């Protein structure tokens, strides 16, 4: 069974990657032999300078999911290069650096630093960060900003460029098209959905930041619909993310049009989730006479001719 696929010139050995922020810098939980079974590792979002992130409480469990307001805590790109990349370079899996920034110049600076070093196979750009210059609103909710960030980074690198989309917009496909038009090699979707939790005893929000990002199985149906919408709008590969716990979940994403998937929250329950899911996709292919997992991508047999955006009418 062929499980590999490519984004631009970069080959992935299979279609399962671990999602940013749920697997640290790849050096904490699993032995290299296991890590090498992943299609790729996406790092925690890296910013130019180290960030402490938000004050506690910054994680709360919810029915079928979790809310987080980590606030992009990370060691900064310099320390990543010095202390994490040497280990990551020894692995036989794709290493994707996820980048977060509060100005477009900061995104560019982080890319410039990483362009100088070996061992980074591609970039995933987290546009769900507050944009300091534009007054705190997220870049990812402004189509023109997504286009400009993509274009500016595209000018600086030949490495595969993935733009990670937020679902907290009206039409996510507009943002996917903006990224595609500006030269992205792929888009990934979805980042977390805005949510909140309240403690009725104290009458206070549970998270110090009041709202946070919802992830886990609770968001899978939303993520599937968003990925379906995006996959029908762009020609570049789409990487599906959101509540994937099992190989069956991952297969659903492939069928609605994702070329690959990322496993996030599941890693907190079992850091081997991604590996189990990659093996499960292979087994499904073997048992169903499918000699290339790629033939499952977009194979959904949807009878309706309605556009995704019209189906609620
Ligand atoms: C604790 C936590 C931290 C996260 N940190 C990041 C991050 O630094 N950058 C990013 O792009 N996404 C981050 N995410 C979002 C995930 O990569 C993923 O898009 C989201 O959780 C949905 O997938 P899941 O339901 O499989 O977790 C984080 C998610 C969680 C739960």
């Amino acid at each position: 069974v062929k499980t590999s696929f490519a984004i631009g010139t970069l080959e992935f050995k299979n279609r399962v990657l671990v999602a940013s922020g749920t697997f640290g810098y790849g050096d904490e939980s699993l032995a290299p032999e296991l890590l090498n079974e992943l299609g790729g590792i996406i790092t925690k979002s890296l910013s130019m300078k180290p960030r402490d992130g938000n004050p506690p409480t910054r994680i709360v469990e919810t029915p079928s999911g979790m809310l987080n307001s980590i606030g992009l805590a990370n060691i900064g790109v310099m320390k990543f290069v010095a202390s994490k990349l040497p280990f990551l370079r020894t692995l036989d899996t794709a290493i994707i650096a996820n980048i977060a920034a509060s100005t477009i110049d900061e995104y560019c600076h982080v890319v410039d630093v990483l362009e100088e070093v070996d061992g980074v196979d591609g970039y995933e750009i987290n546009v769900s960060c507050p944009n300091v210059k534009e007054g705190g609103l997220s870049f990812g909710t402004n189509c023109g900003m997504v286009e400009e960030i993509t274009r500016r980074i595209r000018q600086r690198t030949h490495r595969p460029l993935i733009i990670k989309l937020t679902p907290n917009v009206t039409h996510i496909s507009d943002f996917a098209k903006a990224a595609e038009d500006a030269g992205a090699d792929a888009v990934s979707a979805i980042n977390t959905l805005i949510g909140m939790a309240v403690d009725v005893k104290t009458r206070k929000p549970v998270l110090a930041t009041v709202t946070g990002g919802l992830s886990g199985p609770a968001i899978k149906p939303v993520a599937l619909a968003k990925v379906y919408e995006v996959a029908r709008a762009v020609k570049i590969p789409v990487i599906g993310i959101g509540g994937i716990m099992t190989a069956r979940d991952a297969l659903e994403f492939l069928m609605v049009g994702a070329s690959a998937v990322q496993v996030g929250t599941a890693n907190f329950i079992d850091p081997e989730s991604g590996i189990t899911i990659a093996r499960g996709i292979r087994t499904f292919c073997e048992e169903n006479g499918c000699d290339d997992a790629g033939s499952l991508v977009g194979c959904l047999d949807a009878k309706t001719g309605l556009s995704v955006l019209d189906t609620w009418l």
Side-chain angles (χ1 to χ4, degrees), residues 247-265:
R248 187 171 284 264
D249 294 332
L251 288 161
E252 292 180 31
F253 278 85
L254 297 185
M255 289 180 183
V256 303
S259 293
V261 297
Q262 293 178 22
V263 176
T265 299

Side-chain angles (χ1 to χ4, degrees), residues 157-180:
T157 183
H158 296 296
R159 288 174 176 166
L161 175 58
I162 305 162
I163 304 297
K164 183 170 181 178
L165 305 173
T166 170
N168 301 311
V169 295
T170 308
H171 294 158
I172 194 173
S173 49
D174 292 344
F175 292 78
K177 278 188 266 183
E180 179 180 51

Side-chain angles (χ1 to χ4, degrees), residues 111-293:
V111 170
D112 290 347
V113 169
L114 294 173
E115 281 294 291
E116 294 300 315
V117 296
D118 289 332
V120 172
D121 297 306
Y123 303 108
E124 180 180 67
I125 306 303
N126 178 7
V127 290
S128 313
C129 343
N131 172 357
V132 171
K133 278 203 176 153
E134 291 277 303
L137 265 175
S138 160
F139 286 108
T141 56
N142 178 328
C143 237
M145 280 287 177
V146 168
E147 185 168 354
E148 192 178 342
I149 291 169
T150 309
R151 194 163 34 77
R152 291 273 304 278
I153 298 174
R154 180 77 290 168
Q155 290 165 352
R156 319 177 96 77
T157 183
H158 296 296
R159 288 174 176 166
L161 175 58
I162 305 162
I163 304 297
K164 183 170 181 178
L165 305 173
T166 170
N168 301 311
V169 295
T170 308
H171 294 158
I172 194 173
S173 49
D174 292 344
F175 292 78
K177 278 188 266 183
E180 179 180 51
D181 289 346
D185 296 299
V187 288
S188 49
I190 59 176
N191 211 319
T192 52
L193 285 151
I194 293 171
M196 69 183 283
V198 175
D199 181 335
V200 294
K201 276 204 191 124
T202 59
R203 305 186 180 192
K204 286 183 175 157
V206 178
L207 295 174
T209 52
V210 182
T211 59
L214 183 65
S215 65
I219 73 168
K220 194 187 79 173
V222 177
L224 277 171
K226 298 287 181 195
V227 169
Y228 180 55
E229 179 190 331
V230 168
R232 299 210 305 173
V234 295
K235 295 190 184 69
I236 53 177
V238 181
I239 305 175
I241 322 167
I244 297 173
M245 308 298 280
T246 64
R248 187 171 284 264
D249 294 332
L251 288 161
E252 292 180 31
F253 278 85
L254 297 185
M255 289 180 183
V256 303
S259 293
V261 297
Q262 293 178 22
V263 176
T265 299
N267 290 312
F268 295 120
I269 298 165
D270 177 4
E272 289 185 31
S273 297
I275 293 142
T276 308
I277 290 168
R279 289 177 187 161
I281 293 175
R282 173 184 283 276
T283 304
F284 178 88
C285 288
E286 284 164 0
E287 289 174 358
N288 289 276
C290 162
D291 40 61
D292 180 356

Side-chain angles (χ1 to χ4, degrees), residues 24-27 41-48 50 74-89 95-98 110 113-114 117-120 122-123:
Y25 306 96
D27 62 343
I41 295 172
I42 308 196
T43 70
K44 173 71 189 168
S45 277
L46 298 165
S47 50
M48 197 62 213
N74 78 99
I75 59 176
V77 69
M78 298 301 186
K79 188 158 183 204
F80 169 75
V81 169
S83 68
K84 303 295 181 182
L85 256 190
F87 168 73
L88 293 174
R89 271 190 205 109
I95 304 300
I96 309 292
N98 180 298
V110 176
V113 169
L114 294 173
V117 296
D118 289 332
V120 172
Y123 303 108

